[in-house]
Structures are given as structure tokens and as C-alpha cells.
């Protein structure tokens, strides 16, 4: 009995380690999963996942537009249906719109037909709302098993990973703390991940919004400029 339990615990740990190894943001185990641009220049991409989510996405856009900085927004189809004018503004003002699935539901990634639907439905929604068909896809939770990569390959979508701006962002720690943390991890070619929403549910993002201005100041003081993900990876933004 004890031996069985040890075996079960061992198996559990192995699955856990395998999961972590396969799905962490820098993992290339299942195929190319770019998390940074190949450059020595001081240039980074600011990216925002899980929106649109108002009023936070519009406030972020105000900060970025005031400073003339273009960012990349990986949006959830269901959220874009909720705030279509925000999704349109992203494209109209020269930011880049990427696909981040239709419903951001983890269970949908475990079945191949369901995750195909997630990719395709989000493409339809974003196309209908913003008039562009994204060529960039960031999987929810950066979950990229082989069947997801196959679907993306078939759809001519570029899979995109990145580096989390702050590990505790979900708990919304003080903005200055997040700005300092993201400044510390930024290096040439970084694609820094923030969240203007939470999965498909929205929720408060005051501290994320407040962190972006100070982060831009810090990076600019270190000589950094800003690019969009398509520019960093040298791929098209839209199909
Ligand atoms: Zn997400």
C-alpha cells in the first residue's frame, strides 16, 4: 500500500514536472515557441492579454497613445464581443491585435476539436469587429500541446509566448512594485506580458494600468524603445 502511494506520488510529480517543462513560457519541447525577439538592440514589446476589459483597456490605450507607443493586445473573443469599440480602437490607433482564444477555458485545450473551435471562433469574432484577421496567437496559460501547435500551423498563425511582467500581477500588487519588477526582467527582445483582464471574466486592473507609465519611463531611461510583437519576430501581424 505504502509502495503504491509512493509510486502514485512519484507519477504525480513526474506529470507535474512534465507539465511545467512542456508548458512554461520558455519551453520549446513541443515545437518553436518564441518568447523573445532575436536582437541585441534595446527594444521590447509590451503585450496585454485577456482583454478587452473596461475601463482598464481604454485607460491603458490612453497612456500608450499619449506617449506614442504601440503595444500588442492578445484578446479573448468573448471579451471583444462585450467591448467591440475597444477592440476596434486598438486596430484603428495602430496597436496590434492578436488572438487569445474565444473563451479562455482551460478544459477546451484538452480536446482537439474544442481548441480548434477556440482558435477559429476568436478569429471570426475579431475579424468581424476589427476588420483584420490576426496572424499572432498566444495560447491561454501559454498551454501549447502538439495539437494546438498543429492547428496554429494549419491556420498559418504564429504562436507567441513571452515573459511575465510580474509573477504576482493577478493579485494586483502596488503599481510601482510591478513597474520595478518588469524593468528588472526586461532585456533586448523581451515580450513582456501584462493582463488588462482576467481570463474571460474581466475584473479590476487598476495597478496594471498605473504600472505602465512608470515602466515606460524606467525603460526609456535605460535606452529602450518599443516595438510590437510582429516587428520583434519579423512576421506579419495579420493574414
Ligand atoms: Zn490569458
Amino acid at each position: 500500500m505504502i509502495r503504491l502511494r509512493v509510486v502514485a506520488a512519484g507519477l504525480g510529480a513526474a506529470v507535474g514536472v512534465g507539465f511545467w517543462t512542456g508548458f512554461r513560457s520558455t519551453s520549446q519541447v513541443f515545437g518553436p515557441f518564441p518568447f523573445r525577439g532575436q536582437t541585441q538592440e534595446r527594444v521590447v514589446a509590451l503585450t496585454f492579454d485577456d482583454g478587452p476589459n473596461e475601463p482598464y483597456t481604454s485607460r491603458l490605450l490612453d497612456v500608450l497613445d499619449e506617449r506614442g507607443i504601440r503595444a500588442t493586445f492578445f484578446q479573448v473573443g468573448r471579451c471583444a464581443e462585450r467591448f467591440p469599440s475597444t477592440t476596434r480602437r486598438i486596430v484603428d490607433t495602430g496597436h496590434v491585435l492578436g488572438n487569445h482564444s474565444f473563451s479562455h477555458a482551460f478544459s477546451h485545450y484538452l480536446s482537439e476539436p474544442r481548441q480548434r473551435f477556440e482558435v477559429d471562433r476568436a478569429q471570426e469574432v475579431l475579424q468581424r469587429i476589427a476588420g483584420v484577421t490576426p496572424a499572432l496567437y498566444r495560447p491561454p496559460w501559454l498551454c501549447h500541446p502538439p495539437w494546438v501547435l498543429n492547428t496554429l500551423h494549419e491556420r498559418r498563425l504564429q504562436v507567441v509566448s513571452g515573459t511575465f511582467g510580474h509573477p504576482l500581477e493577478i493579485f494586483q500588487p502596488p503599481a510601482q512594485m510591478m513597474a520595478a519588477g518588469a524593468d528588472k526582467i526586461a532585456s533586448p527582445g523581451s515580450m513582456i506580458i501584462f493582463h488588462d483582464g482576467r481570463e474571460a471574466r474581466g475584473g479590476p486592473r487598476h495597478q496594471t494600468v498605473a504600472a505602465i507609465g512608470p515602466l515606460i519611463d524606467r525603460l526609456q531611461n535605460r535606452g529602450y524603445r518599443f516595438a510590437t510583437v510582429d516587428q520583434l519576430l519579423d512576421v506579419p501581424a495579420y493574414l
Side-chain angles (χ1 to χ4, degrees):
M1 198 60 182
I2 287 172
R3 180 177 286 181
L4 257 182
R5 250 185 244 153
V6 169
V7 169
L11 268 178
V15 169
V17 168
F19 184 86
W20 174 246
T21 308
F23 295 133
R24 70 198 151 84
S25 65
T26 55
S27 167
Q28 312 292 316
V29 168
F30 298 128
F33 192 45
F35 62 95
R36 50 164 297 192
Q38 299 299 317
T39 179
Q40 301 306 315
E41 271 180 65
R42 293 193 162 221
V43 53
V44 294
L46 296 178
T47 73
F48 299 95
D49 293 2
D50 295 8
N53 172 36
E54 292 296 24
Y56 309 101
T57 308
S58 287
R59 287 191 193 152
L60 273 174
L61 287 165
D62 291 342
V63 173
L64 295 165
D65 291 349
E66 253 167 45
R67 294 163 184 248
I69 286 165
R70 301 283 168 260
T72 307
F73 291 80
F74 289 94
Q75 296 207 317
V76 176
R78 191 166 267 171
C79 300
E81 286 182 329
R82 217 173 283 150
F83 302 109
S85 59
T86 309
T87 297
R88 256 192 305 275
R89 177 179 169 190
I90 282 168
V91 173
D92 289 350
T93 50
H95 300 280
V96 167
L97 178 65
N99 182 335
H100 192 50
S101 86
F102 177 68
S103 71
H104 209 294
F106 185 74
S107 59
H108 295 178
Y109 276 76
L110 304 176
S111 113
E112 186 159 8
R114 190 69 210 181
Q115 62 81 24
R116 258 171 217 278
F117 167 84
E118 286 286 325
V119 172
D120 292 344
R121 180 77 193 276
Q123 288 290 76
E124 283 165 30
V125 168
L126 297 174
Q127 207 286 330
R128 175 162 42 81
I129 289 172
V132 293
T133 307
L136 305 173
Y137 185 85
R138 179 176 277 156
W141 298 282
L142 304 180
C143 174
H144 60 294
W147 55 90
V148 169
L149 295 181
N150 285 343
T151 299
L152 300 180
H153 183 72
E154 279 170 24
R155 307 297 195 255
R156 295 184 296 130
L157 282 160
Q158 170 68 53
V159 70
V160 178
S161 181
T163 304
F164 290 103
H166 197 281
L168 302 178
E169 189 197 2
I170 193 168
F171 303 115
Q172 291 288 282
Q176 288 296 347
M177 186 194 282
M178 284 202 280
D183 179 41
K184 201 178 255 177
I185 54 108
S187 65
S190 290
M191 302 191 287
I192 303 172
I193 305 173
F194 281 103
H195 295 80
D196 51 332
R198 181 173 177 188
E199 300 166 18
R201 288 176 279 164
R205 280 292 177 268
H206 298 96
Q207 299 302 328
T208 296
V209 170
I212 293 308
L215 173 61
I216 291 170
D217 291 340
R218 281 169 171 270
L219 288 169
Q220 285 181 330
N221 287 340
R222 291 208 283 135
Y224 275 91
R225 61 186 180 82
F226 298 87
T228 49
V229 164
D230 54 303
Q231 292 170 332
L232 268 189
L233 297 181
D234 197 19
V235 296
Y238 303 114
L239 295 178

